[in-house]
Amino acid sequence: MRTYSFASWNVNGLRAVLKKDPSFHEIARELDVDILALQETKLQEGQVEIDLPGYTQVWSCAERKGYSGTAVFSREEPISVRHADSLAPFAAEGPAPDLVATAITEGRVCALEFERFWFVDVYTPNAQNELARIDTRMAWDDAYRAFLKSLEEESGKPVVTCGDFNVAHEEIDLKNPKSNRGNAGFSDEERGKFTELLDAGFTDTFRLLHPDEVGAYSWWSYRFNARKNNAGWRIDYFLVSDAVADRVRAAGIRSDIYGSDHCPVTLEIEL
């Protein structure tokens, strides 16, 4: 058994973060983790050159240019890799496979198999204003949950999944729960699906170690000085299979790191 360090960050456009000070490369070196997962890269593979010596790169890009996308940088070479199209069989079992089909083309999943575990990076579809995409979101959540459970069952390995899940689970997870009740990211439907995911056998690692911590957020609107006032939401997570939850050693939120409207979240776990 060894201790692994992980970080997850929605960069909201990787090309922009590469140009900022500190740059993406500097932040990645500071994080110094075994696996770094990104969401919302907003580019196609090969559009930028990422120079992180010692890391293997896995990309999942949206068919639509400049949109969505995920990437994983790992020090260990993965045994196998899967992408969002692996959700298709599970979506087919649900009520709206056509809705998930569109989201599958948006580069939202990088799943890497290692000797001791599966690591899955996800950028969950946003329900959008007035819950315009809530049906797609519900169908996606069902398919994604089934996909994660299938990885556990097929391999006998625990799963570590991280990313922007686009939901604040409980009232403690956002600054203004009452005024946001029913809005995208804090609707009863989205919160219910996240509860279903946890009930299926996954642990929210941050809440495991910090059950009562308030003001712990990973995303802030660019409007109304939200980050300065810490009027944020915790919508970025590390979840692990319940079977290894007792091996979690640290879970953090790096709100000191700028460059995006999200900040990185981190995990240390023995596997």
Side-chain angles (χ1 to χ4, degrees):
M1 199 176 299
R2 55 161 285 199
T3 301
Y4 288 85
S5 59
F6 304 132
S8 173
W9 189 18
N10 180 321
V11 292
N12 192 16
L14 184 53
R15 281 174 290 188
V17 180
L18 286 166
K19 298 173 184 175
K20 293 181 179 179
D21 184 19
S23 73
F24 169 75
H25 289 95
E26 292 172 293
I27 292 169
R29 285 192 289 269
E30 179 192 341
L31 289 169
D32 190 28
V33 289
D34 294 305
I35 300 180
L36 172 60
L38 306 181
Q39 305 88 43
E40 213 169 354
T41 54
K42 294 184 177 179
L43 47 74
Q44 310 306 114
E45 188 170 6
Q47 278 191 303
V48 297
E49 186 171 332
I50 305 298
D51 183 22
L52 290 179
Y55 285 90
T56 295
Q57 303 183 20
V58 174
W59 295 80
S60 189
C61 304
E63 291 180 5
R64 173 179 161 192
K65 291 184 178 179
Y67 181 72
S68 188
T70 50
V72 174
F73 303 84
S74 63
R75 285 182 169 142
E76 190 176 326
E77 189 86 25
I79 297 169
S80 65
V81 173
R82 299 186 193 181
H83 299 281
D85 57 357
S86 295
L87 272 66
F90 306 102
E93 297 172 2
D98 54 322
L99 296 177
V100 179
T102 300
I104 283 173
T105 70
E106 295 170 348
R108 294 183 177 275
V109 173
C110 284
L112 285 66
E113 181 185 11
F114 297 99
E115 182 183 354
R116 304 180 188 188
F117 59 96
W118 271 94
F119 184 92
V120 189
D121 176 22
V122 65
Y123 177 40
T124 303
N126 192 303
Q128 298 183 351
N129 290 339
E130 298 183 354
L131 305 183
R133 207 184 186 190
I134 192 67
D135 290 343
T136 295
R137 172 60 180 270
M138 296 294 96
W140 171 277
D141 284 348
D142 287 340
Y144 188 69
R145 183 178 64 253
F147 170 63
L148 294 183
K149 293 306 293 183
S150 75
L151 296 180
E152 282 184 331
E153 292 162 6
E154 289 174 14
S155 68
K157 300 175 183 180
V159 169
V160 176
T161 181
C162 69
D164 178 358
F165 284 78
N166 260 317
V167 61
H169 186 217
E170 303 289 357
E171 290 193 356
I172 194 175
D173 294 317
L174 72 165
K175 178 71 172 181
N176 299 304
K178 289 183 173 55
S179 60
N180 281 294
R181 178 76 182 270
N183 290 341
F186 199 59
S187 68
D188 291 347
E189 295 93 330
E190 293 162 294
R191 295 170 66 195
K193 288 298 183 187
F194 196 82
T195 297
E196 287 184 46
L197 178 56
L198 298 182
D199 288 347
F202 294 94
T203 297
D204 176 352
T205 59
F206 184 81
R207 281 291 167 230
L208 175 70
L209 299 188
H210 309 276
D212 303 313
E213 184 172 336
V214 298
Y217 308 128
S218 63
W219 174 79
W220 302 261
S221 169
Y222 281 130
R223 299 180 295 172
F224 312 122
N225 291 314
R227 190 154 187 175
K228 181 180 178 181
N229 298 321
N230 197 30
W233 301 49
R234 189 175 73 96
I235 60 176
D236 302 270
Y237 299 83
F238 268 99
L239 309 181
V240 300
S241 297
D242 285 350
V244 294
D246 62 342
R247 301 182 195 173
V248 173
R249 299 295 172 253
I253 299 177
R254 293 295 306 272
S255 56
D256 58 311
I257 293 179
Y258 289 75
S260 168
D261 52 348
H262 295 249
C263 73
V265 295
T266 59
L267 173 69
E268 292 182 15
I269 184 170
E270 290 184 0
L271 292 167

